[in-house]
Amino acid sequence: MEHSENLFRLGTESAFEVLARAQALSSKGKNIINLGIGQPDFKTADHIVEAAIKALKDGHHGYTPANGILPLREAVSEDLYFRHRARISPDNIIIMPGGKPTMFFSILMFGGPNTEIMYPNPGFPIYESVINYSGSKAVPIKLEEDLNFSFKAENVLNKISDKTRLIIINSPGNPTGGVIPRQEIEILTAGLENFPKVTILSDEIYSRMLYDGRKHISLLEFPNIRNRLIVLDGWSKTYAMTGWRLGFSVWPDQLLEYATRLCVNNHSCVNAPTQYAGIAALKGPQDVVNSMLNEFEQRRKFIVDALNELPGVYCKEPGGAFYVFPNIIKTGLSSQKAQDDLLEMAGVATIAGTSFGEMGEGFLRFSYANSLENIEEAINRIKKIID
Ligand SMILES: Cc1ncc(COP(=O)(O)O)c(C=O)c1O
């Protein structure tokens, strides 16, 4: 078989591999606490589930338009206005099967030999994987622990070359929980005026998950880059709907037709009942989101304090998402070794920082999308093996 060379360059998301290893250990009778996977440990709210059931009973079994049903795109448009005061026409919104297809399509649109794409490192591993797959050079934007896992906008602007086609930004970020401060976003968006050919993909999948009263700053709030901005968001994290596969993206006019064609070529449309569930999520009561966030906020405080008490571990308090990214350099363990030891010896699944790029060496990602009791038990087990 002589398949495409590109396949050799495709990476993966280790969280799924760790999940498989954790499940294999569980099936052998080992008790595993999973702080590896990035999905809320809450159930999708009943009114959302009911809306999908009703849609099926009402006969919504067929294809929908490739860009999604109009009432859902209208609901997204209203939500974006409510949250960011951004006036986005439903025509510029495409409903996607989750958040990932938007990054895949955007990177494929701009990637190719002799081009560069900038991406956060440590960052969501699919960025680097698909950039490499596309044939572009992946140029890391280093997220600095000292800057609470953000960056100095000047450094990003300085790295833009005449080969740069796309810059990927992710705030709040996976795996660090870092939030890019408004000041840096302002400098970045203003500086981008000097690079009118560069497109921006802003991954805002954690846009509702901020703590200590922080407010999400969407790149949609900056009209000067709107004509070359793609925004990725969705229901997976906010409404505990990871398995439904429902996301949306905002596209500039120039890319809209191409993005829709990629949908037609790839998946035709998102399944109809899920789209009706999406309307119920946006238009229904938001107390489910708020109570989930309150719970996450308590766990964040607990896990940060508990990790900071472990010898050799130092953990910043992240501003968003549901991850902490402690520095373990002083333990003398590599990230991979720490991940393996914690899984094998303590029965605690975490993800090595290096799964998120080489700049994640010396860190581990813990997801606190697990109960407070389990997090407490996990920390106790880690303490025991350290002792
Ligand atoms: C930063 C980031 N973007 C996108 C996604 C993908 O979201 P989805 O599951 O909706 O495809 C994730 C999921 O973990 C993520 O962490």
Side-chain angles (χ1 to χ4, degrees):
M1 192 189 286
E2 280 194 33
H3 62 67
S4 149
E5 282 282 306
N6 295 8
L7 282 184
F8 292 116
R9 297 198 297 265
L10 197 60
T12 186
E13 192 182 347
S14 308
F16 286 97
E17 285 167 12
V18 172
L19 181 67
R21 275 174 68 190
Q23 278 167 349
L25 288 168
S26 292
S27 66
K28 284 187 200 148
K30 193 164 165 97
N31 179 289
I32 303 291
I33 300 176
N34 196 338
L35 304 185
I37 195 81
Q39 70 177 338
D41 56 317
F42 296 89
K43 275 170 52 185
T44 308
D46 285 347
H47 68 277
I48 301 177
V49 177
E50 292 302 333
I53 295 170
K54 180 170 183 311
L56 280 174
K57 288 197 170 150
D58 289 349
H60 295 293
H61 304 162
Y63 293 126
T64 77
N67 59 345
I69 56 173
L70 182 60
L72 180 55
R73 289 184 289 111
E74 284 172 344
V76 171
S77 166
E78 280 163 26
D79 185 56
L80 290 174
Y81 183 71
F82 174 71
R83 289 197 286 136
H84 308 304
R85 293 286 173 256
R87 287 195 192 281
I88 307 294
S89 159
D91 292 344
N92 288 79
I93 293 164
I94 299 186
I95 305 302
M96 294 281 187
K100 271 180 179 166
T102 297
M103 73 183 73
F104 195 70
F105 292 171
S106 314
I107 295 170
L108 288 191
M109 278 182 189
F110 291 94
N114 252 319
T115 62
E116 295 178 358
I117 296 182
M118 292 165 65
Y119 71 104
N121 190 334
F124 190 53
I126 301 306
Y127 308 138
E128 192 180 346
S129 162
V130 183
I131 296 169
N132 289 335
Y133 178 73
S134 76
S136 268
K137 182 173 169 204
V139 178
I141 298 171
K142 185 168 189 212
L143 300 183
E144 310 267 359
E145 184 185 22
D146 289 348
L147 300 174
N148 291 317
F149 298 107
S150 178
F151 53 68
K152 282 281 167 214
E154 282 301 332
N155 294 341
V156 179
L157 294 167
N158 287 339
K159 281 196 167 184
I160 298 178
S161 78
D162 55 3
K163 293 185 177 167
T164 308
R165 298 287 180 273
L166 182 70
I167 299 180
I168 304 174
I169 303 292
N170 171 219
S171 177
N174 180 4
T176 64
V179 175
I180 304 168
R182 176 173 283 279
Q183 193 194 352
E184 297 309 318
I185 295 187
E186 282 174 358
I187 298 173
L188 183 69
T189 51
L192 281 169
E193 288 186 16
N194 298 324
F195 304 97
K197 289 192 178 159
V198 174
T199 298
I200 304 101
L201 166 62
S202 182
D203 181 344
E204 304 186 8
I205 197 91
Y206 298 100
S207 62
R208 298 277 294 272
M209 305 203 146
L210 285 117
Y211 307 110
D212 303 324
R214 286 182 182 82
K215 209 181 153 300
H216 177 60
I217 305 155
S218 172
L219 262 61
L220 289 170
E221 292 168 33
F222 298 84
N224 60 331
I225 56 161
R226 180 79 63 76
N227 64 355
R228 52 200 168 106
L229 172 69
I230 304 162
V231 172
L232 175 166
D233 202 336
W235 287 256
S236 296
K237 316 285 175 176
T238 310
Y239 294 100
M241 291 176 72
T242 50
W244 293 70
R245 310 312 299 140
L246 185 63
F248 71 84
S249 31
V250 177
W251 295 84
D253 292 341
Q254 226 185 317
L255 296 176
L256 205 48
E257 178 59 28
Y258 297 118
T260 311
R261 284 188 185 199
L262 280 166
C263 296
V264 174
N265 277 268
N266 186 61
H267 56 265
S268 298
C269 64
V270 173
N271 77 77
T274 290
Q275 296 193 51
Y276 285 91
I279 299 175
L282 290 177
K283 297 209 159 193
Q286 300 298 302
D287 50 347
V288 278
V289 182
N290 297 334
S291 56
M292 183 171 77
L293 288 179
N294 286 340
E295 180 69 31
F296 279 150
E297 192 147 16
Q298 283 180 38
R299 297 176 189 176
R300 179 190 64 139
K301 173 115 195 50
F302 176 83
I303 197 167
V304 169
D305 290 347
L307 287 168
N308 277 320
E309 280 175 19
L310 297 176
V313 178
Y314 170 67
C315 186
K316 288 266 186 196
E317 187 170 75
F322 41 69
Y323 310 108
V324 286
F325 203 57
N327 180 326
I328 56 155
I329 290 172
K330 289 196 175 142
T331 63
L333 296 174
S334 69
S335 297
Q336 188 63 45
K337 175 97 174 91
Q339 174 197 292
D340 293 344
D341 284 359
L342 289 185
L343 183 60
E344 303 290 336
M345 294 161 67
V348 177
T350 60
I351 313 279
T354 41
S355 300
F356 304 96
E358 61 182 347
M359 292 169 187
E361 183 54 274
F363 295 87
L364 268 185
R365 188 189 82 174
F366 288 69
S367 154
Y368 49 86
N370 205 323
S371 68
L372 210 45
E373 300 86 79
N374 280 346
I375 296 172
E376 201 168 352
E377 168 65 13
I379 297 284
N380 287 338
R381 291 187 192 178
I382 297 172
K383 255 188 215 150
K384 261 193 208 137
I385 66 159
I386 292 180
D387 288 345

